């Protein structure tokens, strides 16, 4: 059985909703799915402070029990909200520490509000995983008002997988 790790950070629940849809999709494709929620231990409660940390490419301290060795997975999905043109600090921390993604297919998913910076965010993530040896990189962008539209999100995922 193929294995996928869906690793995500979600502040408002939007990115988590997309992660859960991904889980359902991959389970129907008979993948063994491992969900990994990145939970910062030093998270600011103010969105403005969060956005500033993201903008200045700061990292967050995350729980120590997170899986960083991804050698046991066939595919990796990485999800983050877009904050101030960038990924959330927790995802930046994770990407700086994860390993063993050489030759793996990577599904990047980002949720966003206004759309400003969404491409910059996903492109930066793609550059990072590309430099780590990812085989295929498949981006998915989901606006916050689309998150609850299961069919729309599913179609975006299927398109990314077909084009990837």
């Amino acid at each position: 059985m193929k294995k996928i790790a869906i690793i995500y950070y979600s502040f408002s629940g939007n990115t988590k909703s997309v992660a859960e849809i991904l889980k359902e999709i991959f389970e129907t494709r008979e993948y063994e799915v491992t969900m990994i929620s990145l939970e910062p231990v030093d998270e600011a409660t103010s969105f403005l402070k969060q956005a500033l940390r993201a903008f200045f490419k700061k990292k967050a301290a995350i729980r120590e029990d997170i899986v960083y060795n991804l050698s046991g997975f066939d595919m990796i999905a990485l999800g983050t909200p877009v904050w101030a043109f960038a990924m959330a600090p927790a995802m930046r921390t994770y990407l700086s520490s994860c390993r063993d993604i050489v030759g793996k297919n990577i599904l990047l998913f980002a949720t966003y509000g206004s759309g400003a910076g969404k491409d910059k965010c996903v492109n930066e993530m793609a550059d990072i995983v590309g430099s780590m040896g990812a085989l295929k990189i498949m981006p998915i962008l989901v606006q916050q008002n689309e998150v609850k539209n299961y069919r729309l999100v599913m179609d975006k995922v299927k398109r990314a997988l077909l084009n990837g």
Side-chain angles (χ1 to χ4, degrees), residues 106-118:
I106 309 293
L107 186 64
L108 301 175
F109 62 102
T111 57
Y112 62 93
S114 70
K118 67 184 186 311

Side-chain angles (χ1 to χ4, degrees), residues 37-91:
S37 174
L38 302 177
E39 297 174 17
V41 296
D42 66 343
E43 185 167 64
T45 56
S46 156
F47 178 74
L48 179 60
K49 287 180 183 177
Q50 292 275 24
L52 284 172
R53 287 181 73 186
F55 183 78
F56 289 110
K57 300 183 187 252
K58 301 289 184 185
K59 294 180 182 174
I62 55 179
R63 287 188 352 244
E64 293 181 12
D65 63 339
I66 297 295
V67 173
Y68 289 100
N69 182 340
L70 301 172
S71 63
F73 297 97
D74 301 293
M75 182 179 272
I76 313 298
L78 299 162
T80 183
V82 177
W83 288 347
F85 310 97
M87 69 187 89
M91 182 55 69

Side-chain angles (χ1 to χ4, degrees), residues 24 30 46 54 59 72 78 81 87 96-97 113 122 132 142-143 156 158 164:
E24 288 181 36
E30 299 188 11
S46 156
K59 294 180 182 174
L78 299 162
M87 69 187 89
S96 71
S97 300
V122 169
M132 296 167 75
V142 182
Q143 192 167 26
K156 287 183 179 214
K158 286 181 179 177

Side-chain angles (χ1 to χ4, degrees), residues 55-162:
F55 183 78
F56 289 110
K57 300 183 187 252
K58 301 289 184 185
K59 294 180 182 174
I62 55 179
R63 287 188 352 244
E64 293 181 12
D65 63 339
I66 297 295
V67 173
Y68 289 100
N69 182 340
L70 301 172
S71 63
F73 297 97
D74 301 293
M75 182 179 272
I76 313 298
L78 299 162
T80 183
V82 177
W83 288 347
F85 310 97
M87 69 187 89
M91 182 55 69
R92 184 171 303 284
T93 299
Y94 187 80
L95 287 176
S96 71
S97 300
C98 70
R99 58 190 185 282
D100 295 322
I101 65 169
V102 173
K104 297 197 186 290
N105 294 329
I106 309 293
L107 186 64
L108 301 175
F109 62 102
T111 57
Y112 62 93
S114 70
K118 67 184 186 311
D119 295 320
K120 183 178 180 187
C121 174
V122 169
N123 290 339
E124 181 183 12
M125 290 174 70
D127 289 345
I128 292 169
V129 297
S131 72
M132 296 167 75
L135 179 63
K136 290 182 187 175
I137 302 168
M138 301 162 280
I140 300 168
L141 295 165
V142 182
Q143 192 167 26
Q144 68 186 13
N145 64 1
E146 300 173 335
V147 168
K148 301 297 183 199
N149 186 334
Y150 181 84
R151 172 71 56 205
L152 179 66
V153 174
M154 186 186 302
D155 288 345
K156 287 183 179 214
V157 172
K158 286 181 179 177
R159 272 196 307 273
L161 294 172
L162 286 173

Side-chain angles (χ1 to χ4, degrees), residues 4-8 16 18-23 33-37 73:
I4 183 171
I6 301 174
I7 304 150
Y8 67 94
K16 181 180 180 182
V18 175
E20 289 170 347
I21 292 171
L22 285 172
K23 180 179 188 276
V33 179
T34 299
M35 300 284 282
I36 301 170
S37 174
F73 297 97

